[in-house]
Amino acid sequence: MTSANFTRAVTVFAIGFLALDAVLFALASRFLWAAACTIAAVLVVLGWRRYRRAMAELVDARKEMKREAESIRDLLNTHRQN
């Protein structure tokens, strides 16, 4: 299981658990706790989206660093040949 699949599975589990808790609290007329679970589920979704965006930025930054390193390597090889 890759890291992306693992984080997705954990996130879906957390959202499902919190949504179920919210429904059960609402059925038991514990609306404050139901609202708290709903807010927590929304926060989990927002946190996961932020995490995915940060990971995508890291991938882009790694690619850029690799391009820069290759550019420097090419420049040094050209300099050595002259």
Side-chain angles (χ1 to χ4, degrees):
M1 180 179 271
T2 65
S3 176
N5 289 339
F6 178 74
T7 58
R8 182 178 296 137
V10 170
T11 302
V12 168
F13 175 78
I15 293 167
F17 185 81
L18 288 166
L20 177 63
D21 281 352
V23 169
L24 293 175
F25 277 129
L27 289 173
S29 299
R30 302 283 190 245
F31 298 110
L32 181 63
W33 288 108
C37 288
T38 302
I39 291 169
V42 170
L43 290 175
V44 168
V45 171
L46 294 175
W48 183 59
R49 291 182 70 189
R50 183 177 179 187
Y51 168 79
R52 286 183 48 204
R53 188 172 43 250
M55 292 299 109
E57 289 174 2
L58 281 175
V59 167
D60 292 341
R62 285 184 185 133
K63 288 178 183 177
E64 180 62 29
M65 285 179 60
K66 185 177 180 180
R67 281 193 294 268
E68 287 178 10
E70 289 172 355
S71 173
I72 291 170
R73 203 174 298 126
D74 292 342
L75 181 63
L76 289 173
N77 287 336
T78 303
H79 181 68
R80 287 182 188 148
Q81 291 174 357
N82 293 334

